[in-house]
Amino acid sequence: MNHELMMWEGVRVLPYDPWSARQPDWWEVQAAIRALAETNDVVIVDAGQGGLIETVPDMRSGLQVIAAELSVMGLARAKSHRSRLDSWGCEAPHIVGVEPRGAPRGRGHVGIGEAQDYLTATVLGPIKPSVNLCGDVLEGLGIRSVTKGSRKAMNLLADLVEQAIRPVSGASHKDQ
């Protein structure tokens, strides 16, 4: 299966279109994850709203990252999802705050400090909306560059993922 996957910038991708395809059974998803984990160091799953995490046991033990929209509704959704992850026995997720797209300037946006207070957790961010990034992703070009205002949060998230993949034992990140 691994060799049949499409490649995107050196990364194998198993695409899925939930709007026009049959929903796979939980055991099909688990079998695919296990097969990919046998031949790859890292398997990243975009779990959407997280329903698969409840039904696919292998997904509960992985690193969880929540992209939380920095709005009242977005934070309420993130808090609810964190609660579900906790009830399924998952580790505490990392939370990345994403500024709402299309909101009028100065309206509908919650700051990182308020988000942390509400979620009682560290929130990385903010990730700022970028028309160029959105266009690049929609055109299949991937992430060609990260905007200056989002770079710090993206670097912190990348460090957290790297630490989960290769735990550092006493050595600093720069020593490796």
Side-chain angles (χ1 to χ4, degrees), residues 9 15 17 21 28 46 51 55 63 75 86 92 100 111 119 122-123 131 138 150 153 171 176:
E9 295 191 17
D17 182 0
E28 292 173 302
D46 179 346
T55 57
L63 172 71
L75 294 177
D86 187 50
L119 296 172
T122 299
V123 177
V131 172
L138 290 173
S150 301
Q176 297 190 2

Side-chain angles (χ1 to χ4, degrees), residues 5 22 33 40 45 48 55 83 90 93 95 97 102 121 129 132 137 153 166 176:
L5 297 177
R22 161 186 90 74
I33 291 170
N40 296 280
V45 178
T55 57
S83 178
C90 299
I95 303 170
N132 291 332
V137 171
R166 294 182 201 89
Q176 297 190 2

Side-chain angles (χ1 to χ4, degrees), residues 18-101:
W19 295 278
S20 62
R22 161 186 90 74
Q23 284 283 72
D25 291 321
W26 72 268
W27 53 269
E28 292 173 302
V29 175
Q30 183 160 294
I33 291 170
R34 284 183 179 174
L36 291 169
E38 287 179 13
T39 56
N40 296 280
D41 294 331
V42 177
V43 176
I44 298 173
V45 178
D46 179 346
Q49 295 179 355
L52 276 176
I53 299 168
E54 180 181 22
T55 57
V56 181
D58 286 4
M59 291 181 66
R60 293 185 207 145
S61 61
L63 172 71
Q64 305 287 333
V65 177
I66 296 174
E69 181 181 77
L70 292 171
S71 67
V72 172
M73 289 302 297
L75 294 177
R77 287 185 201 104
K79 191 169 198 168
S80 173
H81 186 63
R82 265 185 71 208
S83 178
R84 285 193 312 271
L85 290 174
D86 187 50
S87 74
W88 299 331
C90 299
E91 295 279 327
H94 296 287
I95 303 170
V96 179
V98 180
E99 289 185 355
R101 289 183 308 170

